[in-house]
Amino acid sequence: MSEAIVIAVDGPAGAGKGELTRRLAEVLDFDLLDSGAIYRVLGYAVRKAGLALFDEDSVVQEAKLLNLSFECMDDGVHVLLNGEDVSKDIRTEEAGNNASKVAAYPSVRQALLQRQREFLKEPGLVADGRDMGTVVFPKAQVKIFLDASAEVRANRRVLQLQSKGKSCDFDSVLQEIKERDVRDRNRPVAPLKPADDALIIDSSDMNIEEVFKMATDYITQKTGLKF
Ligand code: CDP
């Protein structure tokens, strides 16, 4: 039996999962699964192929054939589709919205399940997403649900986009986050919700250092891993 440890971090858009999981993976020297990137690439691939996001059969075919890889570079992990670097293309708000549309199809989620599980190897995996602790890795030793108010998350997303030189306005980002929340929380399969055995962290009034400390204390308590 594998001794690999899974740290599942789920939560809505802009809660800070990306920053937390990157740090955890780096400090622990674990692999990182950015499951959202898989749905983002799928949405991008569907649009690029000229297919309709509402056509579930076409989307699932695309999901089964998706030629996706992650590559570690000096400035972080890059995402490749058919060998082409699409990291920048998939980080737009439109790509996030398209991801959330393709991610709502049960058949698409099923098609991508095994691919996500294959990321697990020793010593462990930090998995970032919406259903890491509930569906993909239900036996994860550590489950964290990172949340924050929609306003705080929109604000963080605006700062993040601005730091990448992208112009955006708060109201449209907030509206987009709320729409995505509704779709992610209400879909019939793998809806966004905390696992019964997850630690819920509301980061609305916390900075990343405080979130990191709370998460690492919990990981130590559950696994004995030291930081
Ligand atoms: O970075 P952000 O939290 O905005 O989004 P993301 O993690 O890249 O995920 C983009 C979209 O993919 C989400 O809004 C979800 O609809 C979907 N997703 C999902 O359904 N299941 C996952 N495990 C990860 C993402």
Side-chain angles (χ1 to χ4, degrees):
M1 207 182 73
S2 167
E3 294 297 320
I5 291 174
V6 179
I7 299 172
V9 181
D10 292 305
K17 302 183 305 283
E19 177 75 19
L20 174 64
T21 52
R22 264 193 303 277
R23 278 205 195 188
L24 289 173
E26 195 179 319
V27 174
L28 291 168
D29 206 14
F30 281 14
D31 275 349
L32 173 63
L33 167 60
D34 175 1
S35 62
I38 301 178
Y39 292 99
R40 282 173 182 266
V41 170
L42 177 59
Y44 177 80
V46 166
R47 301 291 286 144
K48 197 147 194 224
L51 302 168
L53 293 165
F54 59 76
D55 178 358
E56 180 170 355
D57 289 342
S58 299
V59 177
V60 80
Q61 280 314 315
E62 203 65 29
K64 285 179 184 161
L65 299 173
L66 198 65
N67 177 9
L68 160 84
S69 54
F70 291 94
E71 210 166 287
C72 271
M73 298 190 189
D74 290 344
D75 60 345
V77 178
H78 285 231
V79 188
L80 309 187
L81 171 65
N82 299 321
E84 185 198 334
D85 193 337
V86 294
S87 313
K88 285 209 175 82
D89 307 281
I90 64 162
R91 289 297 157 203
T92 63
E93 287 306 279
E94 187 195 353
N97 222 343
N98 291 343
S100 140
K101 287 180 187 159
V102 297
Y105 296 127
S107 56
V108 168
R109 304 197 73 86
Q110 184 60 35
L112 296 174
L113 195 55
Q114 189 52 30
R115 197 185 276 237
Q116 294 175 79
R117 289 186 174 147
E118 281 165 8
F119 276 83
L120 178 57
K121 56 177 172 26
E122 288 185 37
L125 180 71
V126 180
D128 168 338
R130 301 289 190 284
D131 59 344
M132 299 294 101
T134 49
V135 176
V136 181
F137 300 109
K139 294 193 176 141
Q141 292 88 337
V142 180
K143 297 179 187 178
I144 293 171
F145 190 87
L146 190 57
D147 211 344
S149 73
E151 286 70 20
V152 167
R153 290 187 283 122
N155 210 19
R156 288 180 188 159
R157 189 49 57 100
V158 167
L159 293 175
Q160 197 180 39
L161 290 168
Q162 284 173 346
S163 75
K164 288 181 188 157
K166 293 182 187 149
S167 68
C168 54
D169 86 289
F170 177 82
D171 289 339
S172 56
V173 171
L174 177 61
Q175 190 190 340
E176 192 273 338
I177 276 195
K178 284 183 172 169
E179 275 170 26
R180 206 135 61 93
D181 277 1
V182 169
R183 204 180 300 122
D184 289 354
R185 289 184 207 268
N186 295 307
R187 66 185 173 214
V189 170
L192 171 65
K193 64 165 190 202
D196 292 338
D197 49 349
L199 170 75
I200 299 176
I201 303 179
D202 183 340
S203 72
S204 301
D205 297 316
M206 294 167 82
N207 62 32
I208 177 66
E209 300 307 333
E210 291 166 326
V211 172
F212 188 72
K213 171 86 171 66
M214 191 178 264
T216 50
D217 284 352
Y218 186 63
I219 293 167
T220 301
Q221 180 195 323
K222 297 295 272 186
T223 63
L225 287 168
K226 298 273 191 298
F227 290 85

